[in-house]
């Protein structure tokens, strides 16, 4: 039996280990979950420690504090957001792949506090760490567990979908994931992801090594999304340079409310006895430590659940 905790404590790259173990060359959802769940807590620790690191900034390497690096990126994002995305105060922003919500907190500081914020991640552990971190900062977004390939929300139910290196590890799944993100967005998408097209040679090698995504721009064109802005971020990790897409849906739509929906059939979920139930599929999705676990792979077939 594979002991993931022991591997992680010995600084083994979990995704690479599991790819090699399965003799595959892509990161599946279970592999991504295993890797990121083992990392739970590390992002908050790094955020709070605020050490220094080497970054790429305007064509050169610089050594700066992590907080300064984050400020450069968030100031840039806030500027582009306000320029290209006009929203009212009640707008809903969803971070897909929110991790420990460290970026989501920064986003609220850069933008209006009046927006409604939501976030989900494939790892329950990371959602729990993120919820605690948000609470310490008097920030209470609506957080839940889900897979980006099967988002448990209704069509056109959030104003903006945002990602920050969340699509990154999903090898060859750019189109599938972007289709889902576009489905739940009623207007806009902001994607900050590693760039094989625009990145330096170190970034290309890093993407190849870790089986990261390569074809995000192709997926954008396939879905006929309007590109309002596309460029490299002004600061990035030197070997994993980020590009930003600000996108707009082009087809007319009717906005829906962001209620939880079955990740399989999109039927509205019913809250019953402390869990969510889909009357169409007969699936029960648990609430664990007050976190809705709406991952499609975590549902329990229990068609008689309401007959208690």
């Amino acid at each position: 039996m594979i002991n993931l905790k022991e591997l992680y404590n010995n600084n083994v790259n979990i995704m690479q280990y599991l790819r090699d173990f399965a003799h595959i060359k892509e990161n599946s959802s279970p592999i991504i979950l295993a890797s990121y769940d083992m990392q739970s807590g590390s992002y908050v620790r790094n955020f709070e420690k605020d050490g220094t690191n080497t970054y790429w900034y305007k064509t050169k390497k610089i050594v700066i504090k992590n907080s300064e690096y984050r400020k450069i990126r968030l100031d840039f994002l806030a500027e582009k957001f306000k320029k290209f995305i006009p929203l009212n105060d009640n707008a809903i922003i969803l971070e897909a792949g929110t991790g420990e919500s460290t970026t989501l907190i920064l986003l609220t500081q850069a933008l209006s506090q009046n927006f409604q914020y939501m976030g989900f991640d494939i790892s329950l552990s990371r959602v729990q760490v993120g919820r605690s971190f948000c609470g310490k900062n008097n920030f209470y977004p609506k957080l839940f567990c889900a897979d980006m390939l099967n988002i448990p929300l209704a069509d056109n139910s959030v104003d903006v979908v945002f990602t920050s290196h969340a699509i990154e590890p999903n090898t060859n799944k750019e189109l599938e994931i972007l289709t889902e993100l576009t489905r739940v967005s009623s207007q806009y998408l902001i994607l900050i992801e590693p760039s094989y097209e625009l990145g330096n040679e170190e970034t290309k090698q890093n993407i190849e090594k870790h089986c990261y995504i390569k074809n995000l721009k192709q997926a954008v064109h396939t879905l006929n999304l309007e590109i309002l802005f596309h460029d490299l971020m002004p600061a990035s990790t030197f070997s994993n340079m980020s590009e930003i897409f600000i996108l707009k849906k082009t087809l007319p739509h009717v906005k829906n409310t962001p209620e939880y929906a079955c990740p399989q059939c999109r039927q509205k979920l019913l809250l019953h006895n402390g869990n969510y139930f889909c009357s169409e599929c007969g699936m029960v999705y648990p609430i664990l430590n007050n976190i809705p676990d709406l991952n499609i792979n975590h549902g329990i077939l229990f068609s008689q659940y309401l007959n208690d």
Side-chain angles (χ1 to χ4, degrees):
M1 182 176 178
I2 299 173
N3 189 323
L4 293 176
K5 186 174 182 180
E6 182 178 336
L7 291 172
Y8 180 73
N9 289 338
N10 288 320
N11 297 315
V12 173
N13 185 298
I14 300 296
M15 280 195 277
Q16 182 177 338
Y17 179 91
L18 293 177
R19 288 197 307 270
D20 293 344
F21 183 84
H23 304 291
I24 58 176
K25 294 184 178 181
E26 63 178 38
N27 300 313
S28 63
S29 290
I31 287 176
I32 294 169
L33 169 58
S35 176
Y36 282 107
D37 198 86
M38 287 298 101
Q39 298 177 49
S40 298
S42 63
Y43 283 70
V44 166
R45 286 193 296 271
N46 289 337
F47 188 99
E48 295 178 334
K49 186 178 180 181
D50 194 22
T52 59
N53 212 331
T54 301
Y55 294 104
W56 177 90
Y57 178 65
K58 295 185 177 179
T59 75
K60 62 183 181 181
K61 281 185 177 181
I62 60 171
V63 178
I64 55 175
K65 280 196 167 188
N66 296 334
S67 57
E68 186 178 350
Y69 162 72
R70 291 191 295 263
K71 186 177 186 305
I72 292 170
R73 287 169 67 94
L74 265 295
D75 286 349
F76 178 83
L77 175 59
E79 173 196 339
K80 299 305 177 187
F81 193 106
K82 292 169 184 176
K83 179 177 180 179
F84 293 105
I85 304 180
L87 295 175
N88 61 46
D89 283 346
N90 295 319
I92 301 169
I93 298 176
L94 168 72
E95 184 179 15
T98 191
E100 297 168 20
S101 296
T102 51
T103 301
L104 193 59
I105 279 184
L106 292 172
L107 194 62
T108 68
Q109 296 170 357
L111 304 176
S112 170
Q113 289 281 357
N114 294 324
F115 294 153
Q116 299 178 53
Y117 293 93
M118 302 176 66
F120 71 87
D121 197 82
I122 194 172
S123 165
L124 268 167
S125 297
R126 299 189 84 203
V127 175
Q128 178 161 281
V129 170
R131 183 182 61 182
S132 177
F133 179 63
C134 288
K136 290 179 182 178
N137 289 273
N138 297 313
F139 172 50
Y140 303 96
K142 186 176 183 179
L143 300 176
F144 57 98
C145 180
D147 189 324
M148 282 196 293
L149 289 163
N150 300 278
I151 302 174
L153 295 173
D155 297 357
N156 305 308
S157 57
V158 296
D159 296 280
V160 182
V161 173
F162 169 73
T163 72
S164 177
H165 288 255
I167 306 175
E168 175 182 285
N170 292 271
T171 322
N172 300 322
K173 295 290 193 301
E174 296 96 327
L175 182 57
E176 292 175 65
I177 289 174
L178 190 54
T179 298
E180 267 294 271
L181 299 180
T182 302
R183 179 185 67 79
V184 300
S185 169
S186 66
Q187 298 185 70
Y188 300 99
L189 299 97
I190 302 176
L191 312 176
I192 300 176
E193 299 293 339
S195 179
Y196 194 83
E197 176 191 7
L198 303 178
N200 57 17
E201 189 58 36
E202 289 85 352
T203 295
K204 289 181 172 64
Q205 292 174 7
N206 189 63
I207 288 172
E208 294 280 0
K209 177 181 178 180
H210 296 293
C211 300
Y212 289 164
I213 60 170
K214 295 182 182 179
N215 301 306
L216 191 56
K217 189 173 183 179
Q218 181 180 335
V220 169
H221 287 304
T222 299
L223 293 177
N224 196 31
L225 294 165
E226 181 183 354
I227 301 176
L228 302 179
F229 183 81
H230 176 222
D231 204 348
L232 283 172
M233 292 289 288
S236 295
T237 304
F238 188 81
S239 62
N240 201 26
M241 294 171 66
S242 311
E243 64 184 348
I244 178 173
F245 284 95
I246 300 180
L247 308 170
K248 185 177 181 180
K249 294 177 72 167
T250 56
L251 298 177
H253 55 269
V254 176
K255 185 179 177 182
N256 294 307
T257 56
E259 297 176 312
Y260 289 138
C262 176
Q264 296 191 57
C265 70
R266 312 296 178 217
Q267 176 85 14
K268 179 181 175 181
L269 292 175
L270 305 174
L271 182 61
H272 180 74
N273 282 351
N275 299 294
Y276 282 101
F277 177 68
C278 176
S279 57
E280 184 70 23
C281 296
M283 300 296 292
V284 175
Y285 296 94
I287 298 177
L288 303 172
N289 287 2
N290 295 316
I291 301 170
D293 184 356
L294 308 179
N295 190 316
I296 192 170
N297 297 314
H298 298 173
I300 303 165
L301 181 60
F302 192 178
S303 60
Q304 298 299 305
Y305 181 65
L306 297 182
N307 298 329
D308 53 338

